[in-house]
Amino acid sequence: MSVARITELFSEIDTMAFGPEERARVDEAIALAVELGDEELEYRARIRLTASANQLGDTEALLSSFAWCLAKHDADPVRFPDDVVEGGAGLMWQFKWIATTLASSPIFGTDDISGALADMESHYRDAGIGQSGVLTSQFATAWRLGQLDRAEELRAQLAVTPRDDYSHCDACVRSDASGFLTETGRDAEAIVLFDELIEGGYSCGDEPEAALSRALLPYLRAGRLDDARAAHFRSYNLARDNADNLSIIANHFIFCAVTGNEARGLAMLERHLSWFVHDQLNADGQFSGLVAAGVLLDAVTAAGFGEQVVRGAENNELTALFGEHDGTWTAEELATATWAAARRIGDQFDERADNNYRATRIQKAKNLANENYPLSLTSETLAAPTPADAEPTDAAGWLLRAEELTAMGWLPTALPAARKAAELATGTERTAALSTLVAGLVATGDLAAAEAALAERIPALREHGNEAQASLEELLGLSLFGRAEQDDFDKLSVAVGVSEELAPAQIADIELSLLSVLLRGEEPDLEAVTKLAASALVHAEAGEMPLLRAHALRYLSDLAATAGDTDRALAHLDDLLGATSNRGVLAHAHALRARILGSGGQFAAGAASADAAAECANAIDAAGPLHDTTILAGRLYDEAEQFTDAAGRFRLGIRYAERLEIETVGARYALGRALVRGGESAEAIELLLSLFEEETAAEAAPGSRGETLFWLGHGFADSGEPGSAVGTWETATELYLESGDTQSAARTLADSASLHAQHDDHETAATLLENAVTHARATPDDLNLLVRVLHQSGRAQAEAGNAAGLEALDEVLALAAEHNADWLHADVTDSKARALASLGKPKESVALALTAADEYRAAGDPVAGANCERFVANVLAGEGRHDEAVAVLQSVMEQAADHERLRQITAFDLAESLDKLGRTSDAAAARAIAESA
């Protein structure tokens, strides 16, 4: 049973990507082989362990596993042969990793490295293997030791040595050579190799990501900024999940530093800090990471953000690297510690090699501070906007801050401001401060403290001549300040009923207090509370109380919006915006206006109102409302298809959420989607991949994960990675179906089918669309979806040569007729005509296409009609009926007089048919029209 299980594990391991799951299976296979006492099976398992450890950055396992296997092979090469993994790295191939691995840590001496190289050469000669692999290891080792002249000699020798089965692949050869050329100042030569690797589509274990990261600085220095940007995103996305790729990620730290993208670089550094101690034996990678981090942190400091906290640097696991430190690290502090650690490790390397190679690398890295290649990667910035207002310095300032924050509903800072105002104020300012404090304490549920503050306010009111208000508050207590118990409702109801003798301002106060209680009850009578709010407005105006008037208008606008009377709500908001300077009230008004406008389809205007609300919130440092209104602005800009603005707001919203220590998943998803829709797919892919991994680890709802993958797939498609898009959409569809969301499953299948169709894979597209139709029929409330997938299905089936596609198109035609969708009927008739042509029925196709052209014109789309007739001409020309095609095309030319692109392509078609008829001069005239368009 164990042997069968080991064999099963080998099959699984050999088809899995390197990673934790693969490594777990390797470990299980070794344990079972040891338990059986079967050294041959153990050997086969350990060969796989060596490969896994090499890819995952487990140097200790790599060295020990290889040594064990080599000893067994040397003792009995028949029982323990070189190649035991079909298509995988055999023992002699793995020899190529050993000397370079030893050279990557200064704890191994040069004698150890030389011995490993000599042992490798001996084994290769004994096995009859060529010397290409040996020279490759010698070159890589000399480079790591800083013996650059020796490395150059070996590189030249390697270039003329015959390749064999143990030579590096095309990707690795170009990557290593280009990296060496770059380090030795030959960027132009390196770029040739980079371009060959990218254009040739070469790939390997950590290629092309390693080569792309090495190409970043050469591309920048050559002025190829777009290529550098594309290389950055592609390389980072490929390398970001494997801790063994620290040296690759290090190149991206430097790239961000020299291109002015310090915020992005710092975020990447925080994400990968744990990698610095992932593999203690890979000091070479550690050194590269530290040097690059130093460059980045110096850039952050130079940009004026040296006090920015570097999150995660305080983790205990990093103490051995950076030293003891009290609390969090700032960028400037960590820069100093990083350079110190780099020098310490570099000195150990240089001492072993008896040269100054690492010290020189540090100096070259320091000199990068003089290189600057401005290149916008994202809209990320280092610091959140600071509040527009400075912190108050007197009682009046603190009172205004407290009143505005309370009006905005942001109590975490409103209460301290009210306390500060009450502490500093005297006279009537103090009574106002105490009023705000009482209201805030009631809102937070601290009724005992509220009672105590009210007990201070009432005598203060009397002291300053406001006996009437003092008596009213003495009678009604906390009922006037927002408490909503049954007793408060009873008191306020009675007070409203007998308030005729009171001053208008007091009546308004009582009415607004009762209104607050009523609105917190279950299913309030909207008509009654609206009448009460209108009465409060009248009394507030009569009493010349601007703040109470603003409260009444605020209630009236809210109530009108709730009742669906948007015109009245907007009118009240206009009055409110003109009636107060309290930015808390203004923020509420702007935010409500944004929501009303958004619900009415006025997305851009709504977004501007949300921005205005956010501006008010930022001015007084109301962090919660600032986050909410910023996200609202982002969603409205997204609906308005102003994706750059949307992405900018979502970025800010994420940072505000981090400041508040609240969830950011929704905002990050919204940002990723906006980036995809705005054409910034490279950045979106990185963000959405990270979000999906996080959602998967947290076992988020399948539908949520499916939605993330849906947009990730579009990011891949837009970035020219159709294979990744298709695979991503397959998983998204599975997740949607797991959640019972047939609508989204159908939508995703349809998008995947469109991508297949773009690449002329119509059979796969048709199969996907058959499933999409099934799921769309299971979503009967979305007729548009059914129409879309049936329409696509019909076209795809016809393109694949299946006449059943016509039935799907006929079903859509029937639906269009049933719902009087004239343009849709024309469009599907057009599609059916094209389907008939694909099915080899030109006569029927032409007749139906002419019908579609007439329908388009009747539906008010003459350009689509002209395009349809151009299709008719193409079918006629395909049948050799060029005289008829010319007549049709001349008609299209007349119809396309105001449509340059259609006129141009029609003129080309016309020239071709005229040539076929021998009318060369007419053809030349038509071609001249096309070329001048």
Side-chain angles (χ1 to χ4, degrees):
M1 179 61 186
S2 294
V3 172
R5 174 57 182 160
I6 293 172
T7 303
E8 179 184 351
L9 287 169
F10 286 164
S11 297
E12 293 176 4
I13 293 163
D14 295 345
T15 56
M16 293 178 73
F18 293 110
E21 293 183 13
E22 172 262 354
R23 178 61 179 271
R25 284 167 172 77
V26 171
D27 291 342
E28 182 183 349
I30 292 172
L32 289 173
V34 170
E35 182 181 330
L36 285 173
D38 190 326
E39 289 191 334
E40 291 177 33
L41 283 176
E42 184 181 356
Y43 176 83
R44 294 173 61 194
R46 288 190 178 278
I47 286 287
R48 291 169 168 86
L49 172 61
T50 306
S52 179
N54 180 64
Q55 289 295 324
L56 298 179
D58 187 351
T59 299
E60 185 174 353
L62 164 66
L63 295 175
S64 62
S65 178
F66 177 81
W68 187 93
C69 291
L70 184 63
K72 293 298 178 183
H73 172 78
D74 287 347
D76 192 341
V78 175
R79 286 184 63 201
F80 306 101
D82 175 15
D83 290 320
V84 294
V85 181
E86 186 176 350
L91 187 64
M92 292 300 106
W93 180 279
Q94 292 177 355
F95 230 134
K96 293 163 54 174
W97 305 331
I98 303 307
T100 49
T101 297
L102 296 177
S104 296
S105 175
I107 69 170
F108 299 107
T110 53
D111 289 345
D112 297 320
I113 299 166
S114 298
L117 288 170
D119 199 16
M120 177 185 181
E121 184 173 4
S122 173
H123 276 83
Y124 271 42
R125 291 194 186 282
D126 290 346
I129 300 171
Q131 292 299 294
S132 175
V134 175
L135 286 169
T136 298
S137 291
Q138 290 174 341
F139 161 70
T141 300
W143 184 6
R144 277 173 173 76
L145 291 172
Q147 299 168 350
L148 300 186
D149 290 342
R150 171 64 175 156
E152 177 62 31
E153 293 173 2
L154 289 164
R155 190 178 73 86
Q157 188 177 349
L158 184 59
V160 297
T161 299
R163 292 178 55 78
D164 55 49
D165 291 342
Y166 291 82
S167 299
H168 267 13
C169 70
D170 289 331
C172 291
V173 167
R174 286 172 173 78
S175 181
D176 287 349
S178 58
F180 183 76
L181 289 168
T182 298
E183 182 165 340
T184 52
R186 291 172 282 178
D187 284 355
E189 295 176 62
I191 285 175
V192 172
L193 296 177
F194 290 135
D195 289 347
E196 285 180 4
L197 188 147
I198 295 165
E199 292 167 9
Y202 299 116
S203 63
C204 189
D206 59 358
E207 297 296 347
E209 52 266 39
L212 290 168
S213 76
R214 288 166 166 165
L216 295 174
L217 281 176
Y219 277 156
L220 290 174
R221 289 165 177 159
R224 293 173 56 175
L225 302 187
D226 288 342
D227 289 333
R229 187 179 192 277
H232 164 68
F233 280 114
R234 186 181 178 198
S235 171
Y236 183 68
N237 286 334
L238 289 170
R240 61 190 293 276
D241 294 326
N242 185 349
D244 194 41
N245 290 335
L246 179 58
S247 295
I248 297 175
I249 300 300
N251 293 330
H252 294 282
F253 295 160
I254 292 174
F255 177 74
C256 289
V258 300
T259 56
N261 291 279
E262 297 90 358
R264 175 170 173 77
L266 186 58
M268 291 166 57
L269 175 61
E270 290 173 338
R271 191 177 304 136
H272 298 294
L273 270 173
S274 64
W275 289 16
F276 284 73
V277 290
H278 165 71
D279 182 1
Q280 297 289 0
L281 289 179
N282 183 13
D284 181 63
Q286 204 173 51
F287 174 82
S288 296
L290 288 166
V291 169
V295 172
L296 173 64
L297 292 167
D298 278 353
V300 171
T301 302
F305 297 97
E307 295 303 310
Q308 185 94 6
V309 170
V310 183
R311 293 171 296 184
E314 73 280 3
N315 290 347
N316 290 334
E317 62 182 2
L318 296 169
T319 301
L321 199 60
F322 299 135
E324 296 289 342
H325 187 268
D326 186 18
T328 58
W329 289 83
T330 67
E332 188 170 13
E333 291 170 339
L334 189 61
T336 299
T338 297
W339 284 118
R343 290 189 187 92
R344 183 176 66 252
I345 295 173
D347 288 346
Q348 293 170 359
F349 273 109
D350 286 349
E351 182 179 352
R352 178 185 68 177
D354 193 23
N355 59 26
N356 64 350
Y357 171 61
R358 304 284 169 160
T360 301
R361 278 184 58 182
I362 289 174
Q363 187 55 54
K364 285 183 178 179
K366 285 278 191 179
N367 292 341
L368 288 170
N370 300 318
E371 295 192 42
N372 184 29
Y373 310 94
L375 175 62
S376 177
L377 298 177
T378 71
S379 58
E380 291 175 273
T381 56
L382 276 170
T386 55
D389 289 357
E391 186 176 277
T393 57
D394 57 16
W398 281 111
L399 176 57
L400 177 61
R401 176 67 61 92
E403 288 175 341
E404 291 185 323
L405 288 166
T406 300
M408 201 173 288
W410 187 240
L411 298 175
T413 47
L415 273 176
R419 287 194 177 96
K420 190 72 173 176
E423 176 187 326
L424 296 176
T426 58
T428 56
E429 268 190 356
R430 184 166 183 272
T431 61
L434 287 169
S435 175
T436 303
L437 178 60
V438 172
L441 290 167
V442 169
T444 59
D446 192 349
L447 299 182
E451 292 280 11
L454 182 59
E456 289 186 52
R457 172 174 155 82
I458 291 172
L461 286 168
R462 287 196 170 101
E463 181 183 344
H464 299 291
N466 199 343
E467 176 63 37
Q469 186 66 25
S471 297
L472 184 65
E473 292 184 14
E474 196 168 47
L475 175 66
L476 296 177
L478 297 184
S479 301
L480 284 173
F481 293 88
R483 191 175 62 187
E485 298 174 358
Q486 182 62 43
D487 186 51
D488 298 311
F489 171 74
D490 295 338
K491 284 182 180 180
L492 292 167
S493 297
V494 171
V496 166
V498 298
S499 63
E500 295 88 353
E501 302 301 321
L502 297 176
Q506 291 179 310
I507 298 173
D509 195 3
I510 295 170
E511 288 174 326
L512 290 171
S513 297
L514 177 58
L515 188 59
S516 172
V517 174
L518 289 170
L519 288 174
R520 279 181 277 177
E522 293 184 7
E523 298 183 5
D525 183 338
L526 289 182
E527 184 177 349
V529 293
T530 300
K531 183 177 179 181
L532 184 60
S535 176
L537 177 61
V538 171
H539 288 119
E541 289 174 340
E544 298 181 351
M545 295 294 290
L547 185 58
L548 293 179
R549 180 174 184 269
H551 286 326
L553 285 169
R554 181 171 172 173
Y555 278 125
L556 284 168
S557 58
D558 284 346
L559 289 165
T562 301
D565 190 347
T566 56
D567 289 341
R568 184 176 294 276
L570 290 171
H572 286 313
L573 288 171
D574 287 340
D575 289 343
L576 178 56
L577 290 168
T580 183
S581 60
N582 182 302
R583 287 170 293 187
V585 177
L586 292 174
H588 173 87
H590 284 305
L592 179 57
R593 185 180 183 83
R595 292 186 175 91
I596 292 172
L597 292 171
S599 67
Q602 299 181 59
F603 302 119
S609 289
D611 277 343
E615 184 179 352
C616 291
N618 182 59
I620 57 176
D621 199 20
L626 176 58
H627 166 267
D628 295 344
T629 51
T630 301
I631 293 295
L632 173 62
R635 297 196 185 284
L636 290 168
Y637 278 122
D638 192 60
E639 290 286 356
E641 298 187 355
Q642 295 178 217
F643 301 120
T644 299
D645 290 321
R649 301 311 183 278
F650 288 135
R651 283 193 199 287
L652 283 174
I654 290 166
R655 291 175 49 201
Y656 298 148
E658 290 171 345
R659 174 183 168 190
L660 291 163
E661 297 183 349
I662 61 176
E663 183 57 70
T664 63
V665 169
R668 282 184 287 144
Y669 162 75
L671 172 58
R673 186 178 69 170
L675 289 169
V676 171
R677 298 177 74 196
E680 298 292 335
S681 293
E683 182 185 355
I685 288 169
E686 177 186 323
L687 189 153
L688 292 170
L689 272 171
S690 177
L691 181 58
F692 178 70
E693 291 164 4
E694 185 178 317
E695 288 181 309
T696 301
E699 298 182 352
S704 175
R705 285 179 278 151
E707 196 69 8
T708 300
L709 289 182
F710 174 79
W711 289 106
L712 177 59
H714 275 288
F716 281 132
D718 294 344
S719 296
E721 299 183 47
S724 297
V726 167
T728 299
W729 280 331
E730 285 178 2
T731 306
T733 301
E734 293 170 1
L735 289 167
Y736 281 137
L737 293 177
E738 184 181 340
S739 68
D741 186 354
T742 53
Q743 182 182 42
S744 295
R747 174 192 62 177
T748 306
L749 288 165
D751 287 351
S752 184
S754 294
L755 189 57
H756 281 284
Q758 289 172 25
H759 291 80
D760 295 325
D761 184 2
H762 299 291
E763 289 188 6
T764 302
T767 300
L768 290 170
L769 286 162
E770 285 180 22
N771 291 329
V773 169
T774 299
H775 297 315
R777 293 191 193 281
T779 316
D781 56 335
D782 191 344
L783 183 60
N784 288 333
L785 176 65
L786 179 60
V787 165
R788 175 197 170 188
V789 297
L790 277 171
H791 194 172
Q792 274 187 257
S793 180
R795 289 184 299 187
Q797 289 189 66
E799 290 287 351
N802 186 354
L806 299 175
E807 297 175 10
L809 294 172
D810 285 339
E811 184 176 350
V812 184
L813 286 170
L815 288 169
E818 179 185 347
H819 294 276
N820 298 315
D822 295 337
W823 188 91
L824 174 63
H825 196 282
D827 193 44
V828 181
T829 302
D830 183 2
S831 293
K832 186 175 180 180
R834 295 169 192 268
L836 287 166
S838 297
L839 293 168
K841 298 182 178 182
K843 183 177 180 180
E844 295 94 324
S845 171
V846 166
L848 198 58
L850 291 172
T851 300
D854 290 339
E855 290 186 8
Y856 274 131
R857 281 187 282 269
D861 192 349
V863 175
N867 261 315
C868 202
E869 289 185 353
R870 177 174 165 266
F871 164 72
V872 168
N874 287 334
V875 174
L876 292 171
E879 292 294 298
R881 297 159 62 182
H882 292 287
D883 52 346
E884 297 173 70
V886 165
V888 174
L889 289 169
Q890 287 173 334
S891 172
V892 174
M893 289 286 288
E894 293 175 7
Q895 298 174 59
D898 297 328
H899 300 277
E900 184 175 317
R901 177 60 182 157
L902 176 58
R903 182 174 169 81
Q904 180 185 35
I905 58 177
T906 303
F908 274 121
D909 292 344
L910 179 59
E912 289 187 13
S913 282
L914 288 167
D915 273 334
K916 295 292 185 182
L917 293 172
R919 296 168 56 179
T920 54
S921 60
D922 290 339
R927 196 166 284 112
I929 293 173
E931 292 172 351
S932 65

